[in-house]
Amino acid sequence: MSTTHSLMEVFSDETVSGGVAYKNKTLKKEIINQLDRSGDQTIADLSRELNISTPKITSLVNELIQDGLLQDLGKMDSTGGRRASIYGLGSDACFFVGVDVKRYYINIGLLDFKKHLVTIREKVPYPLENTQQSLTALIKSIRKFIHESGVAYEKVLGIGINLSGRVNNISGYSYSYFHFQEEPLAQIIQQELGIKTFLENDSNAMAFGELHYGVVTTERNILFINLDYGTGCGIIINRELYYGKSGFSGEFGHIPFYNNEIICGCGKKGCLETEVSGQALLRQVRERIAAGSSSKLLQKGKKTEDLKLEDLIGAALSEDVLMIELLAEMGEKLGKALAVLINLFNPELVILGGTLSETGDYLRLPTRSALNKYSLSLVNSDTQVKLSRLGEKAGVLGGCLIARSKVLSL
């Protein structure tokens, strides 16, 4: 029996005929999940934690080793007596793909069974448009990545795809992109690729990646602010993602914060995103340059209408005065809006992530200053504000981990 078939047999929701077979399947799942939660363990550890007899644990562990799902990692150090063997998940038993879809590129990575990022490709050119051609190009890019990864196609058990906007992670529908067919988008992609596919909002996936591999340590209640062309928020409560009833929580950018006449991408006026986002920053740069402001951006020979977010970030990191001024103004607005969230949620940690977080303290410091000004001091004093540690990897890791979690919970 192949490793992949063995794993899917353990974690599939299909019923197994026979009481003993069903019980063994359940116990194997418990063993794998225990090793996943607690790391490598001995037979005695597993027996104690799962309250299963040593002979039964030994038998099941040996079967899982034969199937390639577990590994005997050798003898552990001992102060006396016989040294016990320690067991862990087989890292190459299976793999999971995470795809973080941005406006002009995708980041895509491969995670093994032990949650190690095997490979990642960042900023693969890709035009995100709400068209069949764009969807076809996305599927083609994923298939090409898997083939070039060197991993057997059948060993990839799950794909997590992150999209901005409204995503229902349970039904697999996207309401912002590729919603021109009746079937859930996740199902359409799954049929094309032949691999279980899960959709997630990009801010949620990035928050999940940061929770497990980024700046989060012991904090349990966290807000992840995704500052890209738009503005989103991943909410983590008690170390779990908070989705709301339909999966649409965290639409931070669409709080009606301003009395302006600027139409947001959602079709409404006055959203926070109209003043605090990469799209807003691009508009403000063009307006300032048209009004006579100087900038290093003009030295590159690009027309202002052709500028992208990465151009603005590069200028800021090159100490462009106009960009530093605009980021300070945006940080003030962001901090004021965050004060609302902090007063509501009283989180331990706010993480500034997404593409704009690459500007570092040019954005973080004015944001922190505005937070001090506008939030309740007793609440604010309990909240740290940090920049994302993972950067572009946050969404990829989050997508991989969410796909892995969903497959293992089938």
Side-chain angles (χ1 to χ4, degrees):
M1 185 183 293
S2 72
T3 300
T4 306
H5 181 75
S6 300
L7 188 69
M8 290 311 294
E9 185 180 79
V10 171
F11 285 97
S12 72
D13 51 7
E14 296 177 5
T15 55
V16 178
S17 59
V20 174
Y22 178 77
K23 185 176 181 181
N24 284 345
K25 172 183 172 177
T26 302
L27 293 177
K28 284 180 179 181
K29 186 185 292 189
E30 288 182 12
I31 290 168
I32 290 174
N33 281 325
Q34 174 62 25
L35 292 171
D36 188 36
R37 285 191 303 270
S38 304
D40 307 333
Q41 295 191 328
T42 64
I43 293 290
D45 293 331
L46 290 168
S47 177
R48 182 179 62 256
E49 294 290 337
L50 300 176
N51 196 26
I52 303 171
S53 71
T54 299
K56 186 64 175 178
I57 285 285
T58 303
S59 172
L60 293 171
V61 165
N62 285 334
E63 288 181 26
L64 288 166
I65 290 173
Q66 289 172 8
D67 291 338
L69 303 181
L70 299 189
Q71 289 179 321
D72 183 340
L73 302 173
K75 305 291 185 182
M76 66 182 295
D77 293 334
S78 174
T79 55
R82 292 182 59 186
R83 294 191 303 158
S85 291
I86 192 164
Y87 301 93
L89 303 179
S91 59
D92 61 350
C94 59
F95 299 86
F96 303 89
V97 170
V99 187
D100 196 32
V101 182
K102 304 293 188 183
R103 183 168 294 197
Y104 296 109
Y105 60 86
I106 62 171
N107 298 317
I108 184 166
L110 187 75
L111 195 79
D112 70 17
F113 195 28
K114 292 199 76 169
K115 297 186 276 194
H116 300 133
L117 189 61
V118 178
T119 184
I120 184 170
R121 292 192 180 171
E122 297 182 76
K123 298 191 176 180
V124 178
Y126 168 74
L128 175 59
E129 299 166 352
N130 193 31
T131 63
Q132 181 61 51
Q133 291 84 352
S134 184
L135 175 57
T136 300
L138 177 62
I139 293 169
K140 183 179 179 181
S141 294
I142 296 169
R143 186 181 285 116
K144 180 182 178 185
F145 171 79
I146 295 172
H147 282 305
E148 291 178 350
S149 71
V151 168
Y153 199 87
E154 63 272 13
K155 277 199 167 189
V156 180
L157 297 194
I159 300 172
I161 300 177
N162 315 330
L163 286 168
S164 60
R166 267 65 69 202
V167 171
N168 188 313
N169 76 309
I170 302 297
S171 67
Y173 278 99
S174 165
Y175 297 91
S176 299
Y177 289 100
F178 312 136
H179 46 78
F180 31 76
Q181 299 186 44
E182 289 186 12
E183 297 84 1
L185 178 59
Q187 182 181 319
I188 292 167
I189 298 174
Q190 181 171 308
Q191 289 169 349
E192 287 288 330
L193 294 173
I195 300 170
K196 282 194 174 294
T197 301
F198 309 95
L199 287 193
E200 187 55 89
N201 170 269
D202 57 349
S203 301
N204 287 339
M206 293 166 79
F208 200 68
E210 203 73 43
L211 172 67
H212 290 280
Y213 287 100
V215 296
V216 180
T217 53
T218 60
E219 295 88 1
R220 304 191 66 80
N221 300 297
I222 303 142
L223 298 176
F224 179 92
I225 308 302
N226 180 16
L227 299 160
D228 205 276
Y229 280 91
T231 300
C233 178
I235 303 167
I236 294 173
I237 298 176
N238 202 23
R239 296 186 75 85
E240 292 187 359
L241 282 169
Y242 174 77
Y243 287 99
K245 181 179 183 297
S246 307
F248 305 149
S249 66
E251 289 293 347
F252 180 47
H254 299 294
I255 295 174
F257 217 74
Y258 297 101
N259 243 350
N260 60 34
E261 290 297 309
I262 302 171
I263 299 176
C264 180
C266 71
K268 300 186 184 298
K269 295 179 181 179
C271 292
L272 176 68
E273 202 168 281
T274 63
E275 295 288 348
V276 180
S277 65
Q279 196 63 49
L281 196 62
L282 279 165
R283 186 192 74 245
Q284 291 157 9
V285 164
R286 291 167 185 147
E287 289 172 353
R288 293 287 185 92
I289 288 176
S293 293
S294 60
S295 171
K296 291 181 180 179
L297 291 164
L298 298 173
Q299 297 171 7
K300 295 186 176 182
K302 276 191 176 182
K303 296 180 180 178
T304 55
E305 58 265 30
D306 295 330
L307 291 172
K308 294 181 180 179
L309 208 47
E310 60 191 35
D311 298 313
L312 308 193
I313 293 167
L317 296 178
S318 298
E319 300 183 347
D320 181 79
V321 174
L322 175 61
M323 284 310 310
I324 292 171
E325 287 177 356
L326 288 173
L327 285 169
E329 292 172 14
M330 185 169 288
E332 168 81 9
K333 297 171 185 175
L334 174 61
K336 188 173 185 179
L338 278 177
V340 175
L341 295 189
I342 286 176
N343 289 343
L344 282 173
F345 286 99
N346 188 23
E348 297 156 86
L349 176 63
V350 172
I351 304 171
L352 302 182
T355 309
L356 275 177
S357 70
E358 294 174 20
T359 58
D361 281 348
Y362 289 130
L363 184 65
R364 187 186 70 86
L365 292 179
T367 300
R368 175 79 261 188
S369 176
L371 261 177
N372 293 340
K373 186 193 301 185
Y374 294 111
S375 61
L376 295 169
S377 58
L378 282 175
V379 180
N380 180 33
S381 62
D382 287 337
T383 303
Q384 300 179 75
V385 178
K386 294 183 179 179
L387 293 169
S388 165
R389 178 186 295 167
L390 297 177
E392 295 284 351
K393 292 183 176 66
V396 171
L397 281 165
C400 288
L401 288 168
I402 287 169
R404 183 183 182 278
S405 175
K406 287 182 177 290
V407 168
L408 266 61
S409 64
L410 291 175

